[in-house]
PDB file of all heavy atoms in Angstrom:
ATOM      1  N   THR A  55     239.478 117.552 -92.614  1.00 98.00           N
ATOM      2  CA  THR A  55     239.891 116.515 -93.546  1.00 98.00           C
ATOM      3  C   THR A  55     241.401 116.545 -93.817  1.00 98.00           C
ATOM      4  O   THR A  55     242.074 117.548 -93.614  1.00 98.00           O
ATOM      5  CB  THR A  55     239.154 116.639 -94.898  1.00 98.00           C
ATOM      6  OG1 THR A  55     239.656 117.794 -95.604  1.00 98.00           O
ATOM      7  CG2 THR A  55     237.675 116.736 -94.721  1.00 98.00           C
ATOM      8  N   SER A  56     241.878 115.418 -94.322  1.00 98.00           N
ATOM      9  CA  SER A  56     243.303 115.342 -94.689  1.00 98.00           C
ATOM     10  C   SER A  56     243.633 116.307 -95.828  1.00 98.00           C
ATOM     11  O   SER A  56     244.745 116.867 -95.862  1.00 98.00           O
ATOM     12  CB  SER A  56     243.659 113.896 -95.083  1.00 98.00           C
ATOM     13  OG  SER A  56     242.898 113.508 -96.202  1.00 98.00           O
ATOM     14  N   VAL A  57     242.676 116.508 -96.724  1.00 98.00           N
ATOM     15  CA  VAL A  57     242.945 117.417 -97.868  1.00 98.00           C
ATOM     16  C   VAL A  57     242.988 118.858 -97.384  1.00 98.00           C
ATOM     17  O   VAL A  57     243.821 119.641 -97.903  1.00 98.00           O
ATOM     18  CB  VAL A  57     241.887 117.187 -98.970  1.00 98.00           C
ATOM     19  CG1 VAL A  57     242.071 118.181-100.123  1.00 98.00           C
ATOM     20  CG2 VAL A  57     241.950 115.775 -99.511  1.00 98.00           C
ATOM     21  N   GLN A  58     242.165 119.212 -96.424  1.00 98.00           N
ATOM     22  CA  GLN A  58     242.287 120.551 -95.840  1.00 98.00           C
ATOM     23  C   GLN A  58     243.662 120.750 -95.234  1.00 98.00           C
ATOM     24  O   GLN A  58     244.292 121.772 -95.455  1.00 98.00           O
ATOM     25  CB  GLN A  58     241.231 120.758 -94.724  1.00 98.00           C
ATOM     26  CG  GLN A  58     239.852 121.098 -95.180  1.00 98.00           C
ATOM     27  CD  GLN A  58     238.922 121.291 -93.985  1.00 98.00           C
ATOM     28  OE1 GLN A  58     238.736 120.343 -93.196  1.00 98.00           O
ATOM     29  NE2 GLN A  58     238.364 122.461 -93.850  1.00 98.00           N
ATOM     30  N   ARG A  59     244.120 119.765 -94.502  1.00 97.00           N
ATOM     31  CA  ARG A  59     245.475 119.876 -93.900  1.00 97.00           C
ATOM     32  C   ARG A  59     246.548 120.020 -94.955  1.00 97.00           C
ATOM     33  O   ARG A  59     247.474 120.837 -94.796  1.00 97.00           O
ATOM     34  CB  ARG A  59     245.701 118.697 -92.923  1.00 97.00           C
ATOM     35  CG  ARG A  59     244.883 118.797 -91.678  1.00 97.00           C
ATOM     36  CD  ARG A  59     245.281 117.734 -90.636  1.00 97.00           C
ATOM     37  NE  ARG A  59     245.015 116.372 -91.085  1.00 97.00           N
ATOM     38  CZ  ARG A  59     243.817 115.780 -91.026  1.00 97.00           C
ATOM     39  NH1 ARG A  59     242.767 116.456 -90.547  1.00 97.00           N
ATOM     40  NH2 ARG A  59     243.657 114.550 -91.455  1.00 97.00           N
ATOM     41  N   GLU A  60     246.460 119.242 -96.057  1.00 98.00           N
ATOM     42  CA  GLU A  60     247.407 119.329 -97.138  1.00 98.00           C
ATOM     43  C   GLU A  60     247.368 120.752 -97.761  1.00 98.00           C
ATOM     44  O   GLU A  60     248.398 121.251 -98.238  1.00 98.00           O
ATOM     45  CB  GLU A  60     247.088 118.341 -98.252  1.00 98.00           C
ATOM     46  CG  GLU A  60     247.418 116.928 -97.899  1.00 98.00           C
ATOM     47  CD  GLU A  60     246.982 115.969 -98.987  1.00 98.00           C
ATOM     48  OE1 GLU A  60     246.923 116.386-100.194  1.00 98.00           O
ATOM     49  OE2 GLU A  60     246.635 114.804 -98.664  1.00 98.00           O
ATOM     50  N   ALA A  61     246.196 121.396 -97.727  1.00 97.00           N
ATOM     51  CA  ALA A  61     246.052 122.720 -98.317  1.00 97.00           C
ATOM     52  C   ALA A  61     246.436 123.806 -97.311  1.00 97.00           C
ATOM     53  O   ALA A  61     246.311 125.018 -97.573  1.00 97.00           O
ATOM     54  CB  ALA A  61     244.594 122.950 -98.781  1.00 97.00           C
ATOM     55  N   GLY A  62     246.889 123.432 -96.100  1.00 97.00           N
ATOM     56  CA  GLY A  62     247.304 124.390 -95.079  1.00 97.00           C
ATOM     57  C   GLY A  62     246.233 124.800 -94.102  1.00 97.00           C
ATOM     58  O   GLY A  62     246.485 125.683 -93.311  1.00 97.00           O
ATOM     59  N   VAL A  63     245.088 124.141 -94.124  1.00 97.00           N
ATOM     60  CA  VAL A  63     244.021 124.466 -93.149  1.00 97.00           C
ATOM     61  C   VAL A  63     244.184 123.495 -92.005  1.00 97.00           C
ATOM     62  O   VAL A  63     243.834 122.311 -92.076  1.00 97.00           O
ATOM     63  CB  VAL A  63     242.619 124.311 -93.816  1.00 97.00           C
ATOM     64  CG1 VAL A  63     241.516 124.597 -92.796  1.00 97.00           C
ATOM     65  CG2 VAL A  63     242.499 125.161 -95.030  1.00 97.00           C
ATOM     66  N   GLU A  64     244.727 124.012 -90.899  1.00 93.00           N
ATOM     67  CA  GLU A  64     245.051 123.147 -89.758  1.00 93.00           C
ATOM     68  C   GLU A  64     244.047 123.195 -88.627  1.00 93.00           C
ATOM     69  O   GLU A  64     243.974 122.290 -87.828  1.00 93.00           O
ATOM     70  CB  GLU A  64     246.424 123.552 -89.210  1.00 93.00           C
ATOM     71  CG  GLU A  64     247.581 123.377 -90.170  1.00 93.00           C
ATOM     72  CD  GLU A  64     247.948 121.924 -90.420  1.00 93.00           C
ATOM     73  OE1 GLU A  64     247.629 121.041 -89.563  1.00 93.00           O
ATOM     74  OE2 GLU A  64     248.537 121.630 -91.444  1.00 93.00           O
ATOM     75  N   SER A  65     243.250 124.255 -88.542  1.00 91.00           N
ATOM     76  CA  SER A  65     242.471 124.498 -87.348  1.00 91.00           C
ATOM     77  C   SER A  65     241.000 124.224 -87.470  1.00 91.00           C
ATOM     78  O   SER A  65     240.198 124.642 -86.634  1.00 91.00           O
ATOM     79  CB  SER A  65     242.667 125.942 -86.905  1.00 91.00           C
ATOM     80  OG  SER A  65     242.186 126.811 -87.927  1.00 91.00           O
ATOM     81  N   ASP A  66     240.524 123.514 -88.486  1.00 97.00           N
ATOM     82  CA  ASP A  66     239.082 123.271 -88.652  1.00 97.00           C
ATOM     83  C   ASP A  66     238.684 122.016 -87.866  1.00 97.00           C
ATOM     84  O   ASP A  66     239.478 121.116 -87.642  1.00 97.00           O
ATOM     85  CB  ASP A  66     238.744 123.147 -90.123  1.00 97.00           C
ATOM     86  CG  ASP A  66     237.260 123.404 -90.378  1.00 97.00           C
ATOM     87  OD1 ASP A  66     236.578 123.942 -89.477  1.00 97.00           O
ATOM     88  OD2 ASP A  66     236.776 123.121 -91.468  1.00 97.00           O
ATOM     89  N   SER A  67     237.392 121.970 -87.518  1.00 97.00           N
ATOM     90  CA  SER A  67     236.885 120.827 -86.757  1.00 97.00           C
ATOM     91  C   SER A  67     235.380 120.713 -86.978  1.00 97.00           C
ATOM     92  O   SER A  67     234.711 121.643 -87.417  1.00 97.00           O
ATOM     93  CB  SER A  67     237.145 121.034 -85.279  1.00 97.00           C
ATOM     94  OG  SER A  67     236.347 122.092 -84.757  1.00 97.00           O
ATOM     95  N   GLY A  68     234.843 119.539 -86.625  1.00 97.00           N
ATOM     96  CA  GLY A  68     233.428 119.326 -86.683  1.00 97.00           C
ATOM     97  C   GLY A  68     232.674 120.274 -85.753  1.00 97.00           C
ATOM     98  O   GLY A  68     231.586 120.735 -86.102  1.00 97.00           O
ATOM     99  N   ASP A  69     233.228 120.609 -84.617  1.00 97.00           N
ATOM    100  CA  ASP A  69     232.604 121.541 -83.696  1.00 97.00           C
ATOM    101  C   ASP A  69     232.485 122.952 -84.301  1.00 97.00           C
ATOM    102  O   ASP A  69     231.451 123.585 -84.217  1.00 97.00           O
ATOM    103  CB  ASP A  69     233.399 121.642 -82.377  1.00 97.00           C
ATOM    104  CG  ASP A  69     233.206 120.427 -81.498  1.00 97.00           C
ATOM    105  OD1 ASP A  69     232.196 119.728 -81.653  1.00 97.00           O
ATOM    106  OD2 ASP A  69     234.075 120.200 -80.632  1.00 97.00           O
ATOM    107  N   ALA A  70     233.534 123.395 -84.969  1.00 97.00           N
ATOM    108  CA  ALA A  70     233.532 124.713 -85.621  1.00 97.00           C
ATOM    109  C   ALA A  70     232.513 124.710 -86.758  1.00 97.00           C
ATOM    110  O   ALA A  70     231.788 125.675 -86.960  1.00 97.00           O
ATOM    111  CB  ALA A  70     234.889 125.074 -86.130  1.00 97.00           C
ATOM    112  N   MET A  71     232.465 123.610 -87.506  1.00 97.00           N
ATOM    113  CA  MET A  71     231.487 123.514 -88.603  1.00 97.00           C
ATOM    114  C   MET A  71     230.087 123.539 -88.022  1.00 97.00           C
ATOM    115  O   MET A  71     229.192 124.194 -88.601  1.00 97.00           O
ATOM    116  CB  MET A  71     231.757 122.200 -89.370  1.00 97.00           C
ATOM    117  CG  MET A  71     230.862 121.986 -90.546  1.00 97.00           C
ATOM    118  SD  MET A  71     231.407 120.458 -91.389  1.00 97.00           S
ATOM    119  CE  MET A  71     229.926 120.020 -92.285  1.00 97.00           C
ATOM    120  N   PHE A  72     229.851 122.865 -86.936  1.00 97.00           N
ATOM    121  CA  PHE A  72     228.505 122.845 -86.302  1.00 97.00           C
ATOM    122  C   PHE A  72     228.095 124.270 -85.924  1.00 97.00           C
ATOM    123  O   PHE A  72     226.986 124.703 -86.190  1.00 97.00           O
ATOM    124  CB  PHE A  72     228.523 121.952 -85.077  1.00 97.00           C
ATOM    125  CG  PHE A  72     227.254 121.983 -84.276  1.00 97.00           C
ATOM    126  CD1 PHE A  72     226.121 121.295 -84.677  1.00 97.00           C
ATOM    127  CD2 PHE A  72     227.205 122.701 -83.084  1.00 97.00           C
ATOM    128  CE1 PHE A  72     224.966 121.332 -83.935  1.00 97.00           C
ATOM    129  CE2 PHE A  72     226.021 122.749 -82.337  1.00 97.00           C
ATOM    130  CZ  PHE A  72     224.912 122.063 -82.763  1.00 97.00           C
ATOM    131  N   GLU A  73     228.994 124.972 -85.222  1.00 97.00           N
ATOM    132  CA  GLU A  73     228.666 126.365 -84.815  1.00 97.00           C
ATOM    133  C   GLU A  73     228.340 127.262 -86.008  1.00 97.00           C
ATOM    134  O   GLU A  73     227.373 128.006 -85.962  1.00 97.00           O
ATOM    135  CB  GLU A  73     229.806 126.960 -83.991  1.00 97.00           C
ATOM    136  CG  GLU A  73     229.970 126.340 -82.626  1.00 97.00           C
ATOM    137  CD  GLU A  73     228.740 126.528 -81.743  1.00 97.00           C
ATOM    138  OE1 GLU A  73     228.106 127.617 -81.796  1.00 97.00           O
ATOM    139  OE2 GLU A  73     228.433 125.577 -80.980  1.00 97.00           O
ATOM    140  N   HIS A  74     229.132 127.122 -87.061  1.00 96.00           N
ATOM    141  CA  HIS A  74     228.905 127.915 -88.257  1.00 96.00           C
ATOM    142  C   HIS A  74     227.536 127.571 -88.893  1.00 96.00           C
ATOM    143  O   HIS A  74     226.748 128.441 -89.201  1.00 96.00           O
ATOM    144  CB  HIS A  74     230.030 127.745 -89.288  1.00 96.00           C
ATOM    145  CG  HIS A  74     229.698 128.307 -90.632  1.00 96.00           C
ATOM    146  ND1 HIS A  74     229.756 129.671 -90.859  1.00 96.00           N
ATOM    147  CD2 HIS A  74     229.332 127.768 -91.771  1.00 96.00           C
ATOM    148  CE1 HIS A  74     229.420 129.914 -92.116  1.00 96.00           C
ATOM    149  NE2 HIS A  74     229.134 128.730 -92.688  1.00 96.00           N
ATOM    150  N   TYR A  75     227.293 126.311 -89.074  1.00 95.00           N
ATOM    151  CA  TYR A  75     226.066 125.823 -89.741  1.00 95.00           C
ATOM    152  C   TYR A  75     224.830 126.254 -88.941  1.00 95.00           C
ATOM    153  O   TYR A  75     223.844 126.710 -89.528  1.00 95.00           O
ATOM    154  CB  TYR A  75     226.135 124.319 -89.884  1.00 95.00           C
ATOM    155  CG  TYR A  75     225.151 123.733 -90.847  1.00 95.00           C
ATOM    156  CD1 TYR A  75     225.533 123.389 -92.139  1.00 95.00           C
ATOM    157  CD2 TYR A  75     223.842 123.486 -90.447  1.00 95.00           C
ATOM    158  CE1 TYR A  75     224.607 122.866 -93.035  1.00 95.00           C
ATOM    159  CE2 TYR A  75     222.915 122.953 -91.345  1.00 95.00           C
ATOM    160  CZ  TYR A  75     223.318 122.611 -92.638  1.00 95.00           C
ATOM    161  OH  TYR A  75     222.416 122.090 -93.508  1.00 95.00           O
ATOM    162  N   MET A  76     224.895 126.074 -87.632  1.00 97.00           N
ATOM    163  CA  MET A  76     223.706 126.396 -86.827  1.00 97.00           C
ATOM    164  C   MET A  76     223.483 127.925 -86.821  1.00 97.00           C
ATOM    165  O   MET A  76     222.335 128.368 -86.893  1.00 97.00           O
ATOM    166  CB  MET A  76     223.897 125.874 -85.370  1.00 97.00           C
ATOM    167  CG  MET A  76     223.866 124.350 -85.308  1.00 97.00           C
ATOM    168  SD  MET A  76     222.359 123.569 -85.971  1.00 97.00           S
ATOM    169  CE  MET A  76     221.121 124.190 -84.826  1.00 97.00           C
ATOM    170  N   THR A  77     224.529 128.704 -86.705  1.00 96.00           N
ATOM    171  CA  THR A  77     224.400 130.154 -86.714  1.00 96.00           C
ATOM    172  C   THR A  77     223.852 130.614 -88.078  1.00 96.00           C
ATOM    173  O   THR A  77     222.946 131.448 -88.141  1.00 96.00           O
ATOM    174  CB  THR A  77     225.734 130.833 -86.402  1.00 96.00           C
ATOM    175  OG1 THR A  77     226.192 130.360 -85.132  1.00 96.00           O
ATOM    176  CG2 THR A  77     225.616 132.342 -86.409  1.00 96.00           C
TER     177      THR A  77
END
Side-chain angles (χ1 to χ4, degrees):
T55 70
S56 61
V57 177
Q58 280 180 300
R59 288 188 295 279
E60 287 176 29
V63 180
E64 298 288 338
S65 62
D66 202 13
S67 69
D69 286 338
M71 182 175 158
F72 174 79
E73 288 299 322
H74 169 75
Y75 195 99
M76 292 304 294
T77 301

